Amino acid sequence: MKRHMREDYFVVGEGLLSFEGRREPAVRRPSTTAELRKFRFSRLGPQGDALTEEARAALARAMVAGTSTDSAEPAVPAGFTYLGQFVDHDLTMDATAAALGEDVSVDDLLQGRSPALDLDSLYGRGPQDKKDKVFYAEDGLHLRVGTTAAVPLDATTNQDRDGFDLPRSGLGSSKRERQAALIPDARNDENLAVAQTHLAFIRFHNRVVDQLATGGLSGPALFRTARSVVVKHYQWMLRTDFLPRIVAPAIVDDVFTNGRRFFEVSPGYEQRRRGRWVQPGDRPTMPIEFSVAAYRLGHSMVREVYEWNRFFNTQSQFGLPAGTLELLFQFSGTSGNLSPDGTVDDPESGSFERLPTNWIADFRRLYDFAEAGRDDLVVRPEEGPGLNLTRRVDTRMVDPLRNLPLGSFGERTATPAEIERNLAFRNLTRAVMVRLASGQQMAELFDLVPLKPDEILHGENGAVLDELTDAQKDEVARNTPLWFYILREAEFNGGRLDGVGGRIVAEVFHRAMQGSRNSMLRDTSWRPTLGPDRDTFRMVDLLLFAYEGKAELLNPLG
């Protein structure tokens, strides 16, 4: 099973960085063959000095203490938290992992182990691959969908609903095997919100196939064209809708208009310090500063409770709880057991092996369809609590993230120490593993004025560090972990990444789009055709197309 937490990092030019059971990181050089089979990370900045374990633990506890606040100015609908997680899995998906030892070309190996925004997490290696064809319908064109399991609450739930769950195996001697999702990346079933997001992309692809088929295309040409259409619309949505919600729009516009300044710099642009040239055809790498720090902003966006649908909300008329974060883990196949009568850390417990029908998402509560002029898809006051918002991007995380479910560790038989189940501690420890630069070092690299020690320690309505000792405070202020530093930057920018964090995220997204097999950046004349006009395609437009614009599909439980 894929682990959500990476155990080692192959950094191009350095080697394989890991703890290997030690308290300090180790570096070893893999063989040429092993190197080909490792996901390709790179280092954008200098190596940094490690924060002590005691300081990391104290800082991690401070980050999950207290109460986080909703995003505002801009208010970001909560669905974007899990779209961001879906994107992370797309960036780091290795479509060739299941084919190790088989006939895989070097070109495929390099592409599969390079970050790209080409939806490998949705398509795998395609319908012609002898292993990945399991993700596809018999026609080799459509992606498979799953069927929910009836729950006798009322007429809307007391039926199996086709197309509202991920496809599941249904085979095997264990419940865990039978409930496994038939998708290329099991991480997209580690919580219900990202699982329903993945399902939306399956339905989006299938509708694109249906539309193109009416124009006379068929067979492999139809699939290739559909994938190209889907990927380019996805990239356009990320560039114009997702990124400006989480990164200062001025940085996004600068990168996508003028090019990258620091990461794998394009020829013709002034090379800056550590920026290296990238030639046409070069495979992208992923900076560890992005993977281990900047793009972990989503952890602070997670809510502890969601108004999930008509049944699971804070004013439920059915006596049911709201959609707590723990329940979103429980009703997944990777981290939970899909069962109300199960125990989240025991995949063999519980009586359901498919998603119960009463847990289908109400997308009106996750995205704001008023943005598309669809006021009929806005939750009415008489329906109870409406649109969920993300938590503001800052240095605070909700309490449930101090105690991750064992499914997040890959094997549920693991027995980690209490502090190791704290997501903030794990993030901070990953930085030590790869000798990540501090926030101050990265600010110097980018020619930015660094945050002052007082700004680091006190922030702007973020984590309170009063429980740290004076020595720990001094250590954090002088040598600020990059992840924490980037979140402090966001506090002073209304909850959007700015400065160091904004620059890293925008440039990596740009490079990943450029390096994708299907790239809207390389196809400069391309414009979206599935939105309201040729300049607009947002996540709400993707959902409207995928679910035929129908309320009974976007919210099938009424």
Side-chain angles (χ1 to χ4, degrees):
M1 174 178 291
K2 288 179 181 292
R3 295 174 179 266
H4 183 65
M5 304 297 179
R6 183 175 291 272
E7 298 302 319
D8 55 38
Y9 293 79
F10 173 69
V11 180
V12 175
E14 295 185 24
L16 196 65
L17 279 61
S18 68
F19 272 108
E20 297 184 338
R22 312 177 186 195
R23 299 183 69 86
E24 295 297 327
V27 181
R28 61 184 175 84
R29 296 280 180 180
S31 67
T32 301
T33 301
E35 180 176 322
L36 279 175
R37 291 178 172 173
K38 286 292 182 183
F39 194 86
R40 289 158 51 81
F41 290 91
S42 58
R43 190 181 298 277
L44 181 58
Q47 292 190 2
D49 296 324
L51 209 63
T52 63
E53 184 171 349
E54 292 76 15
R56 296 199 306 275
L59 187 58
R61 293 188 184 99
M63 294 182 74
V64 294
T67 304
S68 57
T69 57
D70 282 348
S71 58
E73 299 181 10
V76 181
F80 285 99
T81 303
Y82 299 95
L83 173 63
Q85 185 178 23
F86 177 87
V87 171
D88 174 55
H89 297 166
D90 181 31
L91 280 166
T92 57
M93 170 65 187
D94 178 5
T96 66
L100 292 183
E102 300 182 8
D103 184 17
V104 181
S105 70
V106 171
D107 184 71
D108 281 345
L109 280 171
L110 289 173
Q111 179 70 28
R113 286 155 173 77
S114 299
L117 288 165
D118 54 11
L119 291 175
D120 274 353
S121 60
L122 182 68
Y123 293 112
R125 299 185 69 205
Q128 305 305 315
D129 184 80
K130 63 182 180 182
K131 289 189 175 180
D132 287 7
K133 66 181 181 181
V134 70
F135 309 136
Y136 292 84
E138 290 185 6
D139 64 8
L141 300 172
H142 293 83
L143 288 159
R144 294 178 61 178
V145 295
T147 303
T148 62
V151 178
L153 286 175
D154 70 5
T156 67
T157 66
N158 195 22
Q159 56 183 296
D160 298 347
R161 286 185 176 266
D162 186 47
F164 289 95
D165 187 20
L166 294 173
R168 301 195 178 277
S169 166
L171 301 173
S173 58
S174 68
K175 182 175 184 290
R176 179 176 182 175
E177 292 173 313
R178 295 189 298 271
Q179 74 186 24
L182 294 178
I183 57 177
D185 194 334
R187 295 174 299 176
N188 281 349
D189 192 28
E190 71 181 14
N191 67 67
L192 181 55
V194 75
Q196 293 279 286
T197 301
H198 188 106
L199 177 62
F201 276 87
I202 290 177
R203 295 183 71 131
F204 181 56
H205 165 83
N206 289 348
R207 278 221 68 210
V208 170
V209 168
D210 292 341
Q211 184 185 74
L212 291 172
T214 64
L217 281 174
S218 62
L222 172 54
F223 177 78
R224 289 194 301 270
T225 303
R227 179 170 183 170
S228 176
V229 169
V230 168
V231 169
K232 289 176 183 177
H233 277 82
Y234 164 64
Q235 293 173 353
W236 189 278
M237 178 269 292
L238 295 180
R239 157 66 182 95
T240 61
D241 190 27
F242 176 65
L243 277 179
R245 295 179 190 265
I246 64 168
V247 176
I251 296 177
V252 177
D253 291 342
D254 175 56
V255 171
F256 279 84
T257 301
N258 300 315
R260 301 181 302 276
R261 297 173 55 197
F262 298 95
F263 173 54
E264 297 185 347
V265 182
S266 300
Y269 201 100
E270 178 189 2
Q271 191 173 12
R272 303 296 298 272
R273 297 188 183 178
R274 291 183 61 88
R276 70 176 182 85
W277 299 114
V278 58
Q279 300 293 340
D282 282 359
R283 307 292 185 182
T285 61
M286 177 176 287
I288 52 175
E289 294 85 357
F290 174 90
S291 178
V292 180
Y295 201 62
R296 296 195 175 223
L297 81 158
H299 295 160
S300 72
M301 299 167 69
V302 173
R303 300 179 61 85
E304 54 270 80
V305 174
Y306 292 86
E307 313 292 352
W308 186 250
N309 60 25
R310 183 164 66 95
F311 296 92
F312 296 96
N313 62 71
T314 52
Q315 297 177 20
S316 174
Q317 299 177 8
F318 296 85
L320 296 170
T324 63
L325 190 57
E326 292 93 335
L327 286 173
L328 296 190
F329 280 120
Q330 183 166 338
F331 286 91
S332 71
T334 298
S335 297
N337 46 50
L338 300 168
S339 302
D341 54 346
T343 302
V344 68
D345 282 338
D346 182 2
E348 298 304 310
S349 64
S351 55
F352 284 76
E353 296 180 1
R354 293 176 285 142
L355 181 70
T357 298
N358 61 333
W359 274 102
I360 297 171
D362 178 354
F363 277 108
R364 305 172 310 151
R365 300 173 194 260
L366 295 174
Y367 292 95
D368 184 6
F369 289 93
E371 295 173 2
R374 291 293 302 269
D375 290 343
D376 59 311
L377 293 175
V378 175
V379 178
R380 300 186 302 273
E382 61 267 26
E383 296 182 74
L387 181 66
N388 297 278
L389 299 177
T390 68
R391 293 306 193 190
R392 184 182 72 139
V393 176
D394 58 26
T395 53
R396 294 173 296 182
M397 296 165 61
V398 296
D399 183 81
L401 295 180
R402 75 165 69 233
N403 191 38
L404 292 173
L406 291 179
S408 297
F409 295 79
E411 296 297 332
R412 301 191 208 198
T413 55
T415 55
E418 180 181 355
I419 190 62
E420 292 178 2
R421 294 185 73 162
N422 181 315
L423 182 57
F425 179 79
R426 293 179 71 81
N427 287 348
L428 294 167
T429 299
R430 286 289 177 273
V432 173
M433 184 172 84
V434 297
R435 299 185 173 98
L436 204 63
S438 68
Q440 290 86 352
Q441 287 175 296
M442 293 304 297
E444 180 180 0
L445 178 70
F446 292 166
D447 295 329
L448 297 171
V449 177
L451 295 178
K452 299 179 178 63
D454 183 68
E455 292 173 321
I456 295 292
L457 293 176
H458 298 101
E460 183 73 21
N461 299 319
V464 176
L465 308 187
D466 292 349
E467 297 301 315
L468 276 68
T469 66
D470 288 343
Q472 289 169 346
K473 290 178 182 177
D474 181 65
E475 188 179 359
V476 169
R478 287 185 298 101
N479 182 33
T480 311
L482 182 57
W483 176 54
F484 187 84
Y485 183 96
I486 285 169
L487 295 179
R488 276 294 200 225
E489 281 184 326
E491 291 176 9
F492 293 102
N493 191 44
R496 280 188 176 118
L497 297 188
D498 196 16
V500 170
R503 175 62 59 176
I504 293 173
V505 168
E507 293 206 3
V508 170
F509 267 68
H510 184 274
R511 179 68 179 113
M513 288 184 193
Q514 184 187 65
S516 297
R517 287 189 178 95
N518 294 291
S519 172
M520 73 169 199
L521 295 182
R522 297 200 311 273
D523 187 357
T524 56
S525 64
W526 184 88
R527 291 294 181 274
T529 59
L530 304 179
D533 57 58
R534 288 182 59 79
D535 291 316
T536 306
F537 190 76
R538 302 155 295 199
M539 186 60 186
V540 290
D541 299 312
L542 186 150
L543 291 168
L544 286 169
F545 187 84
Y547 290 88
E548 304 173 37
K550 297 178 179 179
E552 62 268 28
L553 297 179
L554 287 159
N555 173 36
L557 302 183

